[in-house]
Amino acid sequence: MELRQVRYFLALAEECHFGRAAARLHVAQPALSQQIKQLEHELGTTLFHRSTRHVELTEAGRHLTGYARTLVAEAERARVHMAELASGHTGRVSVGFIGTATYDVLPQVARMVRSRLPHITLDLRGELLTPQLVEGLLTGAYDLAVSRAGAAGTEGVSITPLRAEPLVAVVPAHHPLAAGTEIPLAALADEPFVIHPSQPRSAMYDRVLAACDRAGFRPSALVEVGETATLVVLVAAGHGVALVPRSVQSLRLDGVTYVPLAETETIDLVLARRAHRNSPATQQVASVIEECVRG
């Protein structure tokens, strides 16, 4: 039983007239009659009582009508769903975020996707390091990754720059430098630094130490912490100072002050995805991420 035959059957069942049903279907009347006979032959039963003036459903035809309507409705649902998949308006997309993008980019993306693409299911993971995100892209654990530029140059990964973000100092609220409008980085030369871990080496670890080198010093001690939120908590507890991207200021915790640096030190944020095999839904979410960060 073909879907075309089912559509022909329904048209005739509703019109009870071969001429009107054929006109509604935009087919010749003999073609309609042939398809109905073929359907009756396949089902082994008569579906219509026919006379020169009247067409009427048989009992079998009446029973088939409900099934036929369900089949046509399901076929239409499948067509719409496939069209949505092809256009990227439905599907599941997994996105990983580095720790410092968890606080401002992740909530914006979640809100905008829910508003614009309500039939896309998002799997969001935050507080990850760039090496973990790149590995997740290659294994298929993530479809997209908001990461640092350390992802660039990896075979099979495509990079889209999002923004260059200024670094700011995080100091305990009672620190003498907390009241200033800006901090020369060299003024922190004697302070222990709370920093992202070196193994697996993170982009922030290298970037912070490079900035300190340019200011003429190496931190006297390093306290390595995996998660950005924990890093800020340790600063509040007096374990040292830190350098973080400006967006981390949205993580408001008592006991710390964010102060701009006198120097211009920045770190790049990028959107990474597989170079190939990206679904339309993935491309749609990627566009939302770019708009959230650049807008």
Side-chain angles (χ1 to χ4, degrees):
M1 185 166 60
E2 299 177 1
L3 186 59
R4 179 180 58 174
Q5 292 173 324
V6 173
R7 294 185 190 278
Y8 285 11
F9 164 78
L10 277 179
L12 184 57
E14 292 167 2
E15 298 291 344
C16 288
H17 190 281
F18 275 94
R20 289 195 299 269
R24 172 174 155 183
L25 294 165
H26 305 289
V27 299
Q29 186 172 326
L32 171 60
S33 180
Q34 181 181 7
Q35 288 296 320
I36 295 299
K37 288 179 180 178
Q38 184 176 339
L39 179 59
E40 289 176 324
H41 176 72
E42 290 178 5
L43 295 177
T45 187
T46 301
L47 300 173
F48 295 94
H49 294 302
R50 302 164 176 84
S51 70
T52 55
R53 296 185 177 182
H54 190 64
V55 176
E56 182 182 3
L57 284 165
T58 64
E59 182 179 2
R62 288 193 296 273
H63 281 284
L64 181 60
T65 301
Y67 291 114
R69 287 179 176 145
T70 299
L71 285 171
V72 170
E74 288 299 312
E76 178 60 17
R77 283 184 59 197
R79 185 196 66 78
V80 170
H81 186 62
M82 292 303 102
E84 288 177 340
L85 282 172
S87 65
H89 285 84
T90 190
R92 180 179 294 272
V93 180
S94 177
V95 189
F97 295 80
I98 57 165
T100 51
T102 302
Y103 311 110
D104 68 331
V105 180
L106 189 156
Q108 291 180 58
V109 170
R111 284 193 297 269
M112 190 172 288
V113 169
R114 186 169 62 247
S115 172
R116 292 189 183 179
L117 303 166
H119 299 298
I120 287 182
T121 300
L122 281 182
D123 292 329
L124 303 176
R125 289 284 306 279
E127 289 288 2
L128 297 164
L129 297 175
T130 294
Q132 294 173 294
L133 291 169
V134 172
E135 181 181 358
L137 284 175
L138 296 176
T139 62
Y142 305 115
D143 299 302
L144 298 167
V146 179
S147 66
R148 295 301 174 196
T154 302
E155 185 177 357
V157 174
S158 174
I159 298 296
T160 303
L162 294 175
R163 71 185 177 199
E165 191 172 0
L167 298 183
V168 299
V170 190
V171 299
H174 56 76
H175 195 283
L177 295 173
T181 57
E182 62 181 24
I183 294 177
L185 190 48
L188 301 176
D190 296 327
E191 303 279 354
F193 269 64
V194 185
I195 194 169
H196 286 87
S198 58
Q199 298 297 331
R201 187 168 296 276
S202 75
M204 278 301 299
Y205 180 94
D206 292 334
R207 193 69 189 81
V208 168
L209 292 187
C212 293
D213 285 341
R214 281 189 286 274
F217 72 96
R218 177 88 177 181
S220 59
L222 297 176
V223 180
E224 295 188 12
V225 178
E227 296 184 350
T228 303
T230 305
L231 179 151
V232 177
V233 167
L234 289 183
V235 172
H239 288 271
V241 300
L243 298 183
V244 297
R246 186 170 58 190
S247 59
V248 177
Q249 292 179 141
S250 60
L251 178 62
R252 303 199 177 277
L253 292 175
D254 293 336
V256 299
T257 300
Y258 300 95
V259 187
L261 293 176
E263 300 86 351
T264 301
E265 294 288 351
T266 63
I267 188 164
D268 291 332
L269 188 69
V270 304
L271 177 61
R273 73 194 88 182
R274 288 183 293 276
H276 308 287
R277 297 180 290 109
N278 292 302
S279 70
T282 296
Q283 301 290 26
Q284 289 273 23
V285 174
S287 296
V288 168
I289 293 173
E290 292 177 37
E291 181 177 345
C292 284
V293 177
R294 295 171 179 170

